[in-house]
Amino acid sequence: MSEAWQKVKRFKIHEVWPLLPAAVYLVGFLVIVGAYLVGLSLSFEKNGVTVFPTLRTVAAVVSNTEFRHALLDTALFVIVGTPLELAVGLFLALVLYQQFRFRNFVRSLFLVPLAVPALVTATLLFILFDYPGGHVNFLLTGKYAFFPAILHAPVNWRGSEVFALGISMIGKVWRDMPISMLILLSGLNAIDPELFDAARTMGAGLRTRIWRVVLPLMIPSMSAVILLRSIEMWKEFIFPFILAGKYPLLGTLIESMYNDWGNSNGASAVAAILVLCIVVTTLLFLSIMEFLRRKLVRT
Amino acid sequence: MADVVLKNVSKRMGSSQVIDGFSLDVANGEFVTLLGPSGCGKTTLLRMIAGLETVDKGDVLVGGKRYNNLPVQQRNLAMVFQSYALFPHMTVAQNIRFGLSIHKAPAETIRRKLAWSLDMFGLSGLEDRLPRQISGGQRQRVALARALVLDPDVLLLDEPLSNLDAALRDTAMEELKRIHHQVGTTIIYVTHNQVEAMTMSQRIAVLSAGRLEQYDTPRAVYDSPATRFAASFIGSPAMNFLNGAVEVHGEDAGVMTPVGFVKLDKERFTSAKAMAGRSVTVGIRPQNIAYAEHHESKRYSDTTLSVSVELVETLGDRSLVVSRGENGTALRFLITRDIDIEPQEMVEVFLDGRRVHLFDPQTNANVFSF
Ligand SMILES: Nc1ncnc2c1ncn2[C@@H]1O[C@H](COP(=O)(O)OP(=O)(O)OP(=O)(O)O)[C@@H](O)[C@H]1O
Ligand SMILES: [Mg+2]
């Protein structure tokens, strides 16, 4: 008799029933919402008549220049933002890994961004980068005595695509920094410090120790950060919503399609494409990390 | 290869003086053991020599060169850690090659040394395994191989055998001795296990609370312990100690103790006589107390004592008897396995007067050496 069949025969319902509520919940969210989303994406509405199934909505969205632009911007947002989050988190984790006075205090200080609601952070950035009267403009045009004038005229930060999305990214990275830092710090703390001592006695300088000991051993926690952060980056809504109204990312495009254009089929299609992007890039990242791990351990 | 000299080194950690004015000289090619109880500063000393800890005071000299401020990477010393510290993400071969590749050794040299070390340490066939895929004994050999392929001036070993079972430890000790014999590197070996220290080293440095108690050959440390601490820490079962005062009774010099008058060896009569009246601590090893029935010919220098047996512990080929003399003073001695002694029995024992050590009760120094 096959092993699988044995397992089926041994299966007893009373052993799994405590999992039932969680299973129902999962099915409810994943299957029903997912199916509803796909259903909406594959429907097309014209003159009050709904056609299903059809790819016309998807085709319309994909050929829409605003969508294409948002897709490109979002991809750039992810490609620049994720490594930035990793780098900032890694730097802070390495700083906090050192022994110094008030270390615990500094660590709690770094957790503050988590306690501030994203909306508040975004609004603060909105005020800071306001035009023409924000603090940043005041600072750079020499309105504050302690800082020299760098610009002649104030800059309309939120009116420029690069700056608007850049500021959103700064907000996002600032807000997410504690989580990345904590994941990476626990990864660092899991490494036996004697490994660094051993490497030093074998002649390894700081660079060698980082490249050949720390980083390979940090791959699991770095993968976790990249995975979690890149997904968050794709989905980002609140910062671009407040700070880059004119330059939507996919997350904000869904909102504007639904609310401003009343196009729920189109909004669903964008959402479905967003999910697809997340799945594809996640798989891509995982395979890159696996490749790197093999590369780095080679001596 | 190089000699190592420590001159009055001291180290404070937090509020405690971990190493306190410690001096030691290790000759080129010598095998020296730092022996002491847990927490006495052995690892700290080793890490100071390796450069992993700073030196507060004093000098560390290797090959005549002052090493105090030389970065770890520039010292040609190898260290094997208590945990082995093998890189978990590298295979056995990669671990062994790590140091060589940092030193930019030519590919041919790396290949040759890897082959040499795999052969020397019996690791052939394991080169592509990760550390977690090999046994503890094999890991210890990888750690040694990884250290030795760099041709270090000095090899520092921090309790490398403490994770091995008894049988494996015996083999590993023999192997270490063989390796030292073959490569001739200066070895500083840290352990709290006196058997390891006795078996392998040419000289033993006995440590207690960051200070050097004695530095001598294993034989000398056993036969003439410099301090009461060295006497109690080395030798198993532990030495018996009795408080008393030196007295001269006619022809005999000895110490009046709670269990009676313990005679000293005739040959040392003159020096004993000079100490008359002085209070001392008598030390005598369980091995030097004989069960009376067992010795037909009692020597003149032996003291006969009658003790009551409290406990008999089997040690395999011998048994340890815990007994009490008059006034309830404990006295421990060894008997062979074919002797039957029962608890509560009164028996006679002979204390070997030639093997009695005397320590100053205040300074704990040996005042009456052989
Ligand atoms: N970072 C530190 N701060 C304060 N005290 C320390 C520190 N590290 C070690 N010590 C103390 O220094 C003493 C010596 O420690 P060390 O590790 O050298 O002992 P050891 O002889 O190697 O012991 P073991 O046989 O258990 O390994 C210990 O009493 C320990 O408590
Ligand atoms: Mg130690």
Side-chain angles (χ1 to χ4, degrees):
Chain A
M1 218 180 300
S2 80
E3 234 174 83
W5 179 239
Q6 293 263 328
K7 268 187 191 161
V8 171
K9 272 185 71 178
R10 277 203 304 270
F11 179 83
K12 292 190 187 72
I13 189 70
H14 65 267
E15 283 173 3
V16 290
W17 72 260
L19 291 174
L20 213 60
V24 169
Y25 194 75
L26 256 180
V27 168
F29 265 79
L30 274 178
V31 176
I32 298 176
V33 175
Y36 193 54
L37 183 77
V38 173
L40 278 176
S41 319
L42 296 181
S43 309
F44 189 78
E45 217 169 307
K46 202 173 181 188
N47 309 328
V49 183
T50 306
V51 189
F52 176 88
T54 170
L55 282 175
R56 278 169 73 180
T57 304
V58 176
V61 163
V62 168
S63 59
N64 180 324
T65 46
E66 188 156 9
F67 166 79
R68 291 182 170 199
H69 199 92
L71 179 64
L72 184 71
D73 275 354
T74 314
L76 282 173
F77 198 76
V78 175
I79 289 168
V80 178
T82 311
L84 195 64
E85 289 220 358
L86 182 69
V88 171
L90 199 56
F91 175 76
L92 292 178
L94 284 169
V95 167
L96 284 182
Y97 185 66
Q98 313 300 316
Q99 296 288 340
F100 57 89
R101 283 177 66 150
F102 309 122
R103 188 171 74 138
N104 288 342
F105 175 72
V106 174
R107 188 175 51 200
S108 356
L109 213 61
F110 280 141
L111 298 185
V112 166
L114 270 188
V116 181
L119 190 62
V120 175
T121 309
T123 311
L124 279 175
L125 283 170
F126 186 96
I127 296 166
L128 277 176
F129 286 94
D130 212 357
Y131 174 81
H135 291 289
V136 175
N137 275 327
F138 283 160
L139 188 79
L140 296 179
T141 51
K143 288 254 166 40
Y144 296 131
F146 62 87
F147 201 80
I150 288 175
L151 302 173
H152 296 298
V155 176
N156 184 1
W157 303 106
R158 278 180 284 108
S160 134
E161 181 167 14
V162 173
F163 281 120
L165 291 175
I167 296 164
S168 307
M169 191 183 293
I170 289 173
K172 176 74 178 150
V173 170
W174 187 81
R175 191 192 138 73
D176 288 348
M177 158 193 90
I179 297 173
S180 315
M181 180 194 82
L182 286 179
I183 294 175
L184 294 166
L185 190 60
S186 68
L188 267 180
N189 282 327
I191 302 175
D192 177 4
E194 282 196 341
L195 293 183
F196 306 137
D197 291 340
R200 281 167 81 196
T201 60
M202 283 183 273
L206 184 66
R207 282 233 328 257
T208 317
R209 293 204 297 278
I210 288 182
W211 278 101
R212 293 185 50 189
V213 182
V214 179
L215 289 183
L217 290 172
M218 289 287 283
I219 282 179
S221 46
M222 291 198 303
S223 316
V225 167
I226 287 179
L227 217 73
L228 291 174
R229 292 303 111 204
S230 63
I231 293 171
E232 288 287 316
M233 282 280 171
W234 276 113
K235 298 190 309 187
E236 183 49 25
F237 174 76
I238 193 76
F239 286 99
F241 182 72
I242 304 281
L243 295 164
K246 280 201 282 178
Y247 310 101
L249 299 180
L250 288 183
T252 43
L253 186 66
I254 297 171
E255 190 269 350
S256 64
M257 269 200 177
Y258 185 77
N259 278 338
D260 304 345
W261 310 350
N263 182 353
S264 56
N265 296 107
S268 304
V270 175
I273 291 168
L274 180 55
V275 172
L276 198 69
C277 287
I278 291 174
V279 171
V280 169
T281 50
T282 299
L283 293 177
L284 198 69
F285 265 129
L286 286 178
S287 49
I288 288 174
M289 288 317 269
E290 180 57 24
F291 173 77
L292 273 181
R293 194 182 65 83
R294 295 206 181 152
K295 258 267 159 1
L296 281 173
V297 296
R298 194 154 294 156
T299 35
Chain B
M1 281 200 271
D3 60 324
V4 177
V5 178
L6 302 181
K7 276 192 193 154
N8 258 314
V9 293
S10 294
K11 173 84 188 169
R12 247 190 125 68
M13 272 178 156
S15 57
S16 60
Q17 190 72 37
V18 177
I19 303 294
D20 194 4
F22 190 95
S23 296
L24 191 78
D25 63 287
V26 179
N28 191 0
E30 198 176 9
F31 192 132
V32 163
T33 298
L34 305 180
L35 176 67
S38 190
C40 70
K42 305 179 297 288
T43 299
T44 310
L45 259 179
L46 218 56
R47 291 175 61 88
M48 282 162 84
I49 299 171
L52 297 168
E53 300 283 355
T54 54
V55 178
D56 289 352
K57 265 192 240 140
D59 286 324
V60 175
L61 303 162
V62 178
K65 203 174 146 202
R66 191 168 177 272
Y67 263 37
N68 290 39
N69 300 316
L70 194 68
V72 185
Q73 297 88 284
Q74 289 167 32
R75 307 182 183 205
N76 188 22
L77 311 177
M79 183 155 172
V80 172
F81 294 81
Q82 200 165 345
S83 62
Y84 306 143
L86 297 180
F87 300 119
H89 58 294
M90 297 185 197
T91 62
V92 167
Q94 287 167 341
N95 264 286
I96 295 174
R97 283 196 300 245
F98 182 80
L100 292 167
S101 75
I102 286 173
H103 287 97
K104 305 232 171 355
E108 169 56 25
T109 313
I110 295 183
R111 206 193 49 73
R112 186 171 44 76
K113 289 201 162 187
L114 179 64
W116 170 83
S117 65
L118 290 174
D119 183 49
M120 175 97 167
F121 293 93
L123 294 167
S124 305
L126 300 177
E127 47 269 58
D128 292 327
R129 301 257 193 102
L130 288 171
R132 68 172 125 78
Q133 296 166 328
I134 57 178
S135 75
Q138 290 164 340
R139 268 178 229 155
Q140 179 246 342
R141 298 207 294 266
V142 175
L144 272 174
R146 186 176 72 169
L148 278 173
V149 286
L150 294 173
D151 296 325
D153 292 334
V154 181
L155 180 58
L156 307 169
L157 303 172
D158 191 359
E159 307 200 24
L161 309 186
S162 60
N163 295 331
L164 305 183
D165 64 55
L168 208 52
R169 190 183 297 208
D170 285 347
T171 344
M173 278 198 280
E174 276 162 30
E175 235 166 65
L176 254 178
K177 255 166 95 170
R178 173 178 64 87
I179 288 157
H180 178 240
H181 196 73
Q182 283 180 11
V183 297
T185 313
T186 311
I187 293 183
I188 302 182
Y189 184 95
V190 159
T191 184
H192 56 244
N193 181 318
Q194 49 170 311
V195 179
E196 289 174 20
M198 289 283 174
T199 319
M200 292 188 288
S201 28
Q202 287 163 312
R203 278 196 284 176
I204 298 177
V206 184
L207 272 83
S208 156
R211 309 176 74 103
L212 184 62
E213 296 276 330
Q214 185 169 16
Y215 184 38
D216 219 323
T217 60
R219 225 207 149 92
V221 170
Y222 185 83
D223 285 342
S224 6
T227 62
R228 184 178 160 162
F229 175 83
S232 64
F233 193 71
I234 287 162
S236 168
M239 192 181 265
N240 296 291
F241 291 103
L242 306 162
N243 289 319
V246 179
E247 285 178 14
V248 177
H249 293 175
E251 291 285 284
D252 295 326
V255 182
M256 188 53 90
T257 70
V259 293
F261 185 68
V262 175
K263 268 197 274 184
L264 295 171
D265 182 8
K266 262 267 179 289
E267 283 167 33
R268 296 185 291 175
F269 181 74
T270 332
S271 51
K273 201 174 161 187
M275 284 166 48
R278 179 170 176 177
S279 60
V280 291
T281 303
V282 173
I284 182 149
R285 296 193 188 281
Q287 286 85 348
N288 303 129
I289 302 177
Y291 177 53
E293 260 183 17
H294 207 232
H295 277 243
E296 324 301 357
S297 53
K298 175 192 165 197
R299 285 187 211 84
Y300 180 73
S301 55
D302 285 356
T303 303
T304 312
L305 293 176
S306 63
V307 293
S308 76
V309 176
E310 194 170 270
L311 198 70
V312 183
E313 283 174 29
T314 312
L315 303 176
D317 58 334
R318 296 165 307 167
S319 297
L320 173 69
V321 182
V322 182
S323 66
R324 300 217 171 254
E326 282 168 49
N327 315 350
T329 312
L331 209 60
R332 308 189 310 153
F333 61 95
L334 293 167
I335 52 171
T336 51
R337 56 187 294 175
D338 42 280
I339 297 176
D340 257 337
I341 294 185
E342 295 294 326
Q344 318 306 337
E345 225 176 291
M346 287 296 291
V347 296
E348 296 221 306
V349 292
F350 299 151
L351 266 66
D352 188 345
R354 297 166 309 161
R355 292 279 175 257
V356 168
H357 309 272
L358 299 184
F359 302 97
D360 186 298
Q362 259 79 53
T363 64
N364 286 324
N366 191 331
V367 290
F368 193 74
S369 342
F370 289 73

